[in-house]
Tab-separated table of all heavy atoms in Angstrom:
chain	number	residue	atom	x	y	z
H	420	PRO	N	-7.678	3.958	-0.951
H	420	PRO	CA	-6.950	5.230	-0.860
H	420	PRO	C	-7.778	6.466	-1.172
H	420	PRO	O	-7.374	7.580	-0.841
H	420	PRO	CB	-5.816	5.054	-1.881
H	420	PRO	CG	-6.354	4.060	-2.857
H	420	PRO	CD	-7.167	3.110	-2.036
H	421	THR	N	-8.946	6.279	-1.801
H	421	THR	CA	-9.789	7.442	-2.130
H	421	THR	C	-11.115	7.404	-1.384
H	421	THR	O	-12.043	8.129	-1.736
H	421	THR	CB	-10.053	7.499	-3.649
H	421	THR	OG1	-10.754	6.307	-4.049
H	421	THR	CG2	-8.750	7.584	-4.426
H	422	GLY	N	-11.196	6.572	-0.352
H	422	GLY	CA	-12.467	6.390	0.351
H	422	GLY	C	-13.007	7.641	0.997
H	422	GLY	O	-14.221	7.768	1.194
H	423	ASN	N	-12.130	8.593	1.337
H	423	ASN	CA	-12.568	9.822	2.010
H	423	ASN	C	-12.583	11.032	1.079
H	423	ASN	O	-12.729	12.166	1.549
H	423	ASN	CB	-11.648	10.135	3.201
H	423	ASN	CG	-11.803	9.131	4.333
H	423	ASN	OD1	-12.868	8.542	4.505
H	423	ASN	ND2	-10.748	8.922	5.101
H	424	LEU	N	-12.461	10.805	-0.231
H	424	LEU	CA	-12.294	11.913	-1.164
H	424	LEU	C	-13.471	12.024	-2.123
H	424	LEU	O	-14.181	11.051	-2.382
H	424	LEU	CB	-10.999	11.719	-1.969
H	424	LEU	CG	-9.713	11.543	-1.149
H	424	LEU	CD1	-8.538	11.276	-2.079
H	424	LEU	CD2	-9.447	12.761	-0.280
H	425	ASP	N	-13.656	13.218	-2.671
H	425	ASP	CA	-14.708	13.415	-3.669
H	425	ASP	C	-14.284	12.776	-4.988
H	425	ASP	O	-13.127	12.385	-5.181
H	425	ASP	CB	-14.991	14.909	-3.858
H	425	ASP	CG	-13.770	15.671	-4.376
H	425	ASP	OD1	-13.453	15.567	-5.579
H	425	ASP	OD2	-13.132	16.371	-3.567
H	426	GLU	N	-15.231	12.682	-5.920
H	426	GLU	CA	-15.001	11.941	-7.156
H	426	GLU	C	-13.848	12.498	-7.981
H	426	GLU	O	-12.988	11.754	-8.454
H	426	GLU	CB	-16.277	11.917	-7.999
H	426	GLU	CG	-16.149	11.098	-9.278
H	426	GLU	CD	-17.455	11.036	-10.060
H	426	GLU	OE1	-18.482	11.525	-9.555
H	426	GLU	OE2	-17.433	10.497	-11.175
H	427	GLY	N	-13.819	13.816	-8.140
H	427	GLY	CA	-12.772	14.412	-8.957
H	427	GLY	C	-11.386	14.208	-8.369
H	427	GLY	O	-10.441	13.862	-9.083
H	428	THR	N	-11.280	14.409	-7.051
H	428	THR	CA	-9.999	14.212	-6.385
H	428	THR	C	-9.600	12.748	-6.417
H	428	THR	O	-8.425	12.409	-6.616
H	428	THR	CB	-10.074	14.708	-4.927
H	428	THR	OG1	-10.503	16.074	-4.909
H	428	THR	CG2	-8.722	14.614	-4.248
H	429	SER	N	-10.583	11.848	-6.254
H	429	SER	CA	-10.309	10.413	-6.306
H	429	SER	C	-9.716	10.024	-7.645
H	429	SER	O	-8.742	9.261	-7.730
H	429	SER	CB	-11.601	9.620	-6.065
H	429	SER	OG	-12.102	9.850	-4.769
H	430	ASP	N	-10.300	10.551	-8.729
H	430	ASP	CA	-9.802	10.239	-10.064
H	430	ASP	C	-8.345	10.658	-10.217
H	430	ASP	O	-7.523	9.916	-10.776
H	430	ASP	CB	-10.652	10.935	-11.125
H	430	ASP	CG	-12.041	10.342	-11.243
H	430	ASP	OD1	-12.250	9.216	-10.748
H	430	ASP	OD2	-12.925	11.004	-11.815
H	431	ALA	N	-8.015	11.852	-9.716
H	431	ALA	CA	-6.650	12.361	-9.859
H	431	ALA	C	-5.655	11.512	-9.070
H	431	ALA	O	-4.554	11.195	-9.558
H	431	ALA	CB	-6.594	13.813	-9.394
H	432	ILE	N	-6.020	11.129	-7.852
H	432	ILE	CA	-5.142	10.295	-7.028
H	432	ILE	C	-4.923	8.943	-7.699
H	432	ILE	O	-3.795	8.435	-7.791
H	432	ILE	CB	-5.742	10.096	-5.624
H	432	ILE	CG1	-5.782	11.417	-4.840
H	432	ILE	CG2	-4.955	9.027	-4.850
H	432	ILE	CD1	-4.444	11.938	-4.397
H	433	MET	N	-6.000	8.336	-8.187
H	433	MET	CA	-5.881	7.011	-8.778
H	433	MET	C	-5.087	7.051	-10.077
H	433	MET	O	-4.365	6.105	-10.405
H	433	MET	CB	-7.262	6.403	-9.004
H	433	MET	CG	-7.989	6.039	-7.712
H	433	MET	SD	-7.037	4.985	-6.580
H	433	MET	CE	-6.867	3.485	-7.551
H	434	GLU	N	-5.201	8.135	-10.841
H	434	GLU	CA	-4.392	8.265	-12.057
H	434	GLU	C	-2.907	8.174	-11.703
H	434	GLU	O	-2.119	7.538	-12.418
H	434	GLU	CB	-4.686	9.588	-12.757
H	434	GLU	CG	-5.988	9.620	-13.528
H	434	GLU	CD	-5.995	8.678	-14.719
H	434	GLU	OE1	-4.907	8.399	-15.269
H	434	GLU	OE2	-7.084	8.209	-15.096
H	435	GLN	N	-2.526	8.826	-10.601
H	435	GLN	CA	-1.132	8.784	-10.181
H	435	GLN	C	-0.726	7.383	-9.747
H	435	GLN	O	0.366	6.916	-10.069
H	435	GLN	CB	-0.904	9.795	-9.059
H	435	GLN	CG	-1.061	11.233	-9.525
H	435	GLN	CD	-0.916	12.229	-8.388
H	435	GLN	OE1	-1.328	11.968	-7.265
H	435	GLN	NE2	-0.337	13.377	-8.681
H	436	ILE	N	-1.615	6.699	-9.033
H	436	ILE	CA	-1.303	5.343	-8.578
H	436	ILE	C	-1.200	4.384	-9.760
H	436	ILE	O	-0.291	3.556	-9.834
H	436	ILE	CB	-2.358	4.867	-7.561
H	436	ILE	CG1	-2.207	5.666	-6.248
H	436	ILE	CG2	-2.240	3.373	-7.298
H	436	ILE	CD1	-3.238	5.336	-5.196
Side-chain angles (χ1 to χ4, degrees):
T421 61
N423 291 332
L424 305 176
D425 62 76
E426 183 177 354
T428 305
S429 296
D430 290 343
I432 293 289
M433 291 307 296
E434 283 294 332
Q435 293 177 324
I436 291 177

